């Protein structure tokens, strides 16, 4: 059974076949009887979602490997299978066993796209409905003994995920997937593509620090990348509790600081994280990241009240239907806030994506602004800046990140 698949390196036919100029497609098994696969389609600036049944996934992969995308990496419980297409549409298949005792790849003679489709059609359709009960392909595996998750009550001593904490377990894994995607960009920014010194990670509004400890575990234990992490939060008792936990676990590369995000000053971070920093606290965190030229930003905003309170006083009759109902006004103001933030980050040289963090049933605060420092043309920067400020002006509102960054580029 396929647990995940990633298609990359689009061909010139991707827009013709799929309708948009997608750069990458990520598919993962999520379970469920009717549509067990969740797919994310990424353009340069947007992401689109779709659910697949097993048969639909089969059809999609057969139709697009070698035609829409040159590369595809599939994972099952036993194998990692890589498909590489050349300019003539011939596809090479590379298989690597995931078992520790067998990590050598086995190369198979290149196939034409048509032959590949015929071969895979037969192979994949042998999956049975019972296979859907197998464990999901998380970065942190169920059944693995992970000290910080055990200490935080997410896992038992035997490594079993506590049922009441399963949403938190999924959230942690999803965040690590999104972080893993940008790590190559962060490391490439270092000399020779390798970190010269430990990656500096700054976690604003760290709270109970599930993600702080997860990032440390992922980088140090899974990726073998040295790091130094700082968690910042306003609550003294929370900071003390997290510091005590780090000491008990023998983790010496995480430190916790009690302080206001708006007033924080510290080392230049490589990566800035904000998870549910309330209202304008997210804006101060983003401003800090921009000022310090952070190489990557992963921000999940919440409580976007600032624009909402201003929209409620708007006298513009054109927008009356949008602002009449509180729930519509609240959702619109949140989307508007994050749209402005994304545009302003692009204006400062970041490549930005607004992604679904986790499913809506986990939390309604489920959008992530993920930004990687890439630089950009001055004309594009000015256009992004102008579009953000034009949007604010159209509704007659102010937004903190726009105010903090000012208008000069």
């Amino acid at each position: 059974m396929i647990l995940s698949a990633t298609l990359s390196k689009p061909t010139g036919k991707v827009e013709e076949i799929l309708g948009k100029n997608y750069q990458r497609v990520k598919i993962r098994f999520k379970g469920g009887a009717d549509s067990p696969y969740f797919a994310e389609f990424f353009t340069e600036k947007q992401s689109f979602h779709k659910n697949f049944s097993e048969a639909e996934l089969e059809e999609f992969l057969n139709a697009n490997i070698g035609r829409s995308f040159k590369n595809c990496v599939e994972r099952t419980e036993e194998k990692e299978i890589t498909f590489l297409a050349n300019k003539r549409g011939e596809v090479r298949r590379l298989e690597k066993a995931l078992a520790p005792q067998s990590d050598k790849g086995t190369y198979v003679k290149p196939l034409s796209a048509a032959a590949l489709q015929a071969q895979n059609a037969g192979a994949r359709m042998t999956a049975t409905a019972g296979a859907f009960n197998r464990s999901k392909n998380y970065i942190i595996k169920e059944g693995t003994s992970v000290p910080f998750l055990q200490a935080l009550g997410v896992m038992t001593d035997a490594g079993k995920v506590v049922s009441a904490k399963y949403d938190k377990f999924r959230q942690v894994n999803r965040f690590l997937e999104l972080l893993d995607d940008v790590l190559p960009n962060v490391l490439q920014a270092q000399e020779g593509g390798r970190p010269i010194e430990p990656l500096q990670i700054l976690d604003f509004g760290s709270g109970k620090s599930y993600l702080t400890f997860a990032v440390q575990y992922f980088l140090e234990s899974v990726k073998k990348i040295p790091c130094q992490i700082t968690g910042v939060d306003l609550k003294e008792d929370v900071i003390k509790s997290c510091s005590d936990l780090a000491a008990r676990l023998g983790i010496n590369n995480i430190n916790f600081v009690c302080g206001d995000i708006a007033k924080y000053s510290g080392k230049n971070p490589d990566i800035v994280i904000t998870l549910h920093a309330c209202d304008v606290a997210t804006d101060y965190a983003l401003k800090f990241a921009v000022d310090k030229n952070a190489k990557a930003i992963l921000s999940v905003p919440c409580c976007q009240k600032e624009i909402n309170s201003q929209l409620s006083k708007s006298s513009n009759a054109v927008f009356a239907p949008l602002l009449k109902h509180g729930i519509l006004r609240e959702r619109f103001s949140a989307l508007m806030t994050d749209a402005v933030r994304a545009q302003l980050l692009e204006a400062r040289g970041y490549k930005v994506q607004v992604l679904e963090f986790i499913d809506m049933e986990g939390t309604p605060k489920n959008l992530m602004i993920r930004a990687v420092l890439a630089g950009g043309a001055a004309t594009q920067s000015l256009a992004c800046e102008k579009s953000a400020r034009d949007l604010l002006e159209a509704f007659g509102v102010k937004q903190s990140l726009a105010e903090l960054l000012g208008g000069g580029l």
Side-chain angles (χ1 to χ4, degrees):
M1 183 187 73
I2 296 175
L3 298 176
S4 68
T6 300
L7 293 90
S8 59
K9 293 194 176 180
T11 68
K13 295 183 178 180
V14 66
E15 189 168 5
E16 175 187 339
I17 295 171
L18 295 176
K20 291 185 183 294
N21 189 22
Y22 294 117
Q23 301 299 301
R24 184 175 44 145
V25 179
K26 293 187 70 174
I27 303 164
R28 61 180 172 85
F29 176 75
K30 64 179 178 63
D34 297 327
S35 302
Y37 289 96
F38 174 75
E40 293 179 277
F41 294 74
F42 298 93
T43 66
E44 283 289 341
K45 297 182 179 180
Q46 295 176 293
S47 69
F48 301 86
H49 302 153
K50 184 175 182 179
N51 291 316
F52 285 125
S53 67
E54 182 188 0
E56 289 168 338
L57 175 64
E58 170 73 23
E59 182 180 353
F60 176 82
L61 292 175
N62 287 339
N64 288 281
I65 295 175
R67 296 185 66 227
S68 303
F69 295 91
K70 295 178 183 177
N71 289 4
C72 177
V73 178
E74 295 179 6
R75 279 182 174 266
T76 69
E77 289 182 322
E78 298 84 16
K79 298 177 181 179
E80 179 179 274
I81 307 166
T82 302
F83 301 95
L84 304 170
N86 60 25
K87 294 180 180 179
R88 297 186 299 276
E90 296 174 335
V91 180
R92 172 182 292 179
R93 174 185 170 118
L94 169 65
E95 263 187 35
K96 182 173 72 173
L98 295 180
Q101 68 271 21
S102 177
D103 59 358
K104 294 182 179 180
T106 302
Y107 289 88
V108 180
K109 182 179 178 180
L111 303 173
S112 67
L116 174 69
Q117 291 173 13
Q119 181 191 74
N120 289 344
R124 292 200 191 99
M125 292 303 289
T126 59
T128 62
F132 292 134
N133 294 323
R134 297 177 185 175
S135 60
K136 299 174 180 62
N137 193 31
Y138 289 129
I139 286 177
I140 298 178
K141 308 290 186 185
E142 295 185 67
T144 303
S145 180
V146 181
F148 85 89
L149 287 177
Q150 293 167 336
L152 290 169
V154 177
M155 277 185 173
T156 66
D157 290 343
K160 180 178 175 59
V161 178
V162 177
S163 59
K165 293 285 187 177
Y166 202 85
D167 283 345
K168 181 61 68 176
F169 179 73
R170 289 175 57 244
Q171 183 190 74
V172 165
N173 273 286
R174 174 61 174 156
F175 186 87
L176 295 180
E177 288 177 5
L178 293 165
L179 172 63
D180 192 30
D181 284 346
V182 301
L183 276 180
N185 301 86
V186 174
L187 297 179
Q188 283 172 10
Q190 302 274 357
E191 185 178 354
R194 295 182 179 180
I196 303 167
E197 56 186 22
L199 285 180
Q200 297 294 323
I201 317 291
L202 183 57
D203 185 357
F204 277 130
S206 52
K208 293 183 179 179
S209 300
Y210 290 92
L211 293 187
T212 321
F213 285 104
V215 170
Q216 189 275 342
Y217 173 84
F218 175 61
L219 292 176
E220 292 276 358
S221 300
V222 179
K223 304 295 285 188
K224 310 301 180 185
I225 299 173
C227 63
Q228 180 66 47
I229 305 178
T230 300
V232 181
D233 200 276
L234 274 172
K235 299 177 182 177
E236 291 186 12
D237 58 334
V238 170
I239 290 298
K240 184 179 185 307
S241 174
C242 293
S243 298
D244 290 345
L245 176 57
R248 290 202 310 273
L249 295 174
I251 299 173
N252 56 18
N253 61 342
I254 299 182
N255 69 294
F256 293 95
V257 177
C258 186
D260 187 344
I261 294 174
K263 300 175 183 177
Y264 180 79
S265 61
K267 267 189 173 184
N268 288 14
D270 293 300
I271 300 173
V272 170
I273 296 167
T274 73
L275 179 68
H276 299 159
C278 190
D279 200 15
V280 299
T282 294
D283 298 301
Y284 283 101
L286 296 178
K287 169 66 160 55
F288 184 90
V290 169
D291 286 348
K292 299 295 184 179
N293 289 314
K295 298 175 183 68
I297 302 167
L298 290 89
S299 177
V300 182
C302 82
C303 306
Q304 296 98 322
K305 300 175 183 177
E306 183 182 35
I307 287 180
N308 190 3
S309 62
Q310 297 174 70
L311 286 175
S312 65
K313 301 172 185 176
S314 175
S315 59
N316 192 326
V318 175
F319 306 129
L322 182 63
L323 309 178
K324 179 179 178 180
H325 303 284
I327 189 170
L328 295 179
R329 187 176 66 245
E330 179 183 352
R331 290 183 181 179
F332 173 74
S333 61
L335 292 172
M336 182 178 177
T337 300
D338 290 338
V340 168
R341 287 165 171 163
Q343 287 295 96
L344 292 172
L345 288 175
E346 282 197 30
R348 269 72 189 172
Y350 285 87
K351 182 178 178 180
V352 180
Q353 293 174 302
V354 180
L355 309 166
E356 184 179 68
F357 176 35
I358 53 175
D359 297 337
M360 281 291 286
E361 62 263 26
T363 172
K365 305 163 188 176
N366 73 326
L367 293 184
M368 171 182 282
I369 299 173
R370 186 173 69 177
V372 176
L373 189 60
T379 52
Q380 179 183 343
S381 297
L382 290 170
C384 290
E385 179 87 12
K386 185 176 185 304
S387 67
R389 296 186 184 278
D390 284 350
L391 178 60
L392 295 173
E393 185 178 346
F395 283 85
V397 297
K398 294 183 178 180
Q399 199 278 326
S400 284
L401 185 60
E403 298 294 307
L404 289 168
L405 292 175
L409 283 175

